[in-house]
Amino acid sequence: MILDNEFVRAQFPAFSEPSLTGQAFFENAGGSYTCAPVIARLERYYRQRKVQPYGPYEASRLAGEEMDEARQRLAAMMGVATDEVSFGPSTTQNTYVLAQAFRQWMEPGDAIIVTNQDHEANSGPWRRLADEGFELREWRIDPDSGLLDPADLESLLDERVRLVCFPHCSNVVGAINPVVEITALAHAAGAFVCVDGVSYAPHGLPDVGGMGPDIYLFSAYKTYGPHQGIMVMRRELGNLLPNQAHYFNADALYKRFTPAGPDHAQIAASAGMADYIDALAAHHGIEGEADARNAGVHDLMRAHETALLQPLLDYLKDRNSVRLIGPTDAVAKAPTVAVALNRPGAEAAADLAARGIMAGGGDFYAVRPLQSMGVDTEKGVLRLSFVHYTSRAEVDKLLTALDDIL
């Protein structure tokens, strides 16, 4: 089955927006376009439901129901329980709240494993716990390939490790890490697992229940939705960690790690992400329960992305003037492509902008992995990232533009 790219693009108002005409978007790793169902739900909420939710009057009842719908449907698609999904202002904020909970729960001398492949959001909050008397162990990437080797993790695991944190894929390396294998290793050693899925989830919502991590984090604004951080917290761990919310919310798992009042409208609008996935499933004849529909859409997205990605990787890996970061096989990589140049990545991005290519340059909050791979962080990298709504014509346009500037 082949993804109907024209149908996909028709679900995104950005592609019919006059101000964006002629622009090919290749900075999706920084945030995706928003799909029409999310925009419609957000507008409806602000027009018709902008009241305190869960009250006895109609507008309030409907507001609460729409918030609950988002959590229910996203949980079902990811194969987890409804109350194991919670929302927060951002993934970075969610991670800081989690770090506070672990700080209160762990004993002095306990250890946490982090990587140097991560975006700083899934590294910095945990590293700061070293100041509180906990041991931080670093699972390091290969400085040439940027890859993590599970064998290196095994040597770091022992009975003192309480948590292993790693990315599903890095926002600069792009390699897709084997979550199931890594989670099994950590669990066998008695440790919990926290996966940063921000850079993977845009390429298909994952089967969190099947993969088995205890925490899975991603950002709705990168998965075609509003600016919310979404967190899966499995019940066993969630009930073990100290409550971080108001004391009277301690018995509600989806509230325990949300200290501040949530953004009601954005949570309700997140149900539009499920609307979109269901629309893709229906259009392509994918049937079954929510998790099966989601899995089918995930595979469609990945197949389309992989087919478009390989020509770009082949083009870049053979050029002596650039260093391609991460795998050269599209199957092993998300379509997040970083290249180190002999000049600042931001300059190259500006040159591409003049040719109708929207891309980015810099360190992308991935200073640690870039430094570990010997990349000059003052220059950073040029990052070219796309998702399933990207067309073959846009990739061809990118390759032509790269011929001009490299």
Side-chain angles (χ1 to χ4, degrees), residues 2 56 59 134 186 304 374 376:
I2 298 175
F134 305 112
H304 176 80
D376 182 352

Side-chain angles (χ1 to χ4, degrees), residues 51-124:
V51 296
Q52 190 69 14
Y54 303 107
Y57 46 97
E58 185 71 353
S60 179
R61 180 184 66 78
L62 291 171
E65 286 182 359
E66 291 183 8
M67 292 171 64
D68 292 344
E69 179 190 356
R71 192 166 49 253
Q72 291 163 359
R73 292 177 66 192
L74 292 173
M77 287 180 168
M78 293 186 287
V80 299
T82 297
D83 66 346
E84 291 180 325
V85 173
S86 60
F87 293 84
S90 69
T91 293
T92 301
Q93 283 285 97
N94 285 344
T95 308
Y96 269 94
V97 172
L98 287 174
Q100 173 71 0
F102 271 89
R103 182 190 68 79
Q104 296 173 350
W105 173 68
M106 294 192 305
E107 300 291 336
D110 285 349
I112 290 179
I113 294 175
V114 298
T115 85
N116 64 344
Q117 192 191 59
D118 280 276
H119 182 290
E120 190 63 15
N122 197 40
S123 180

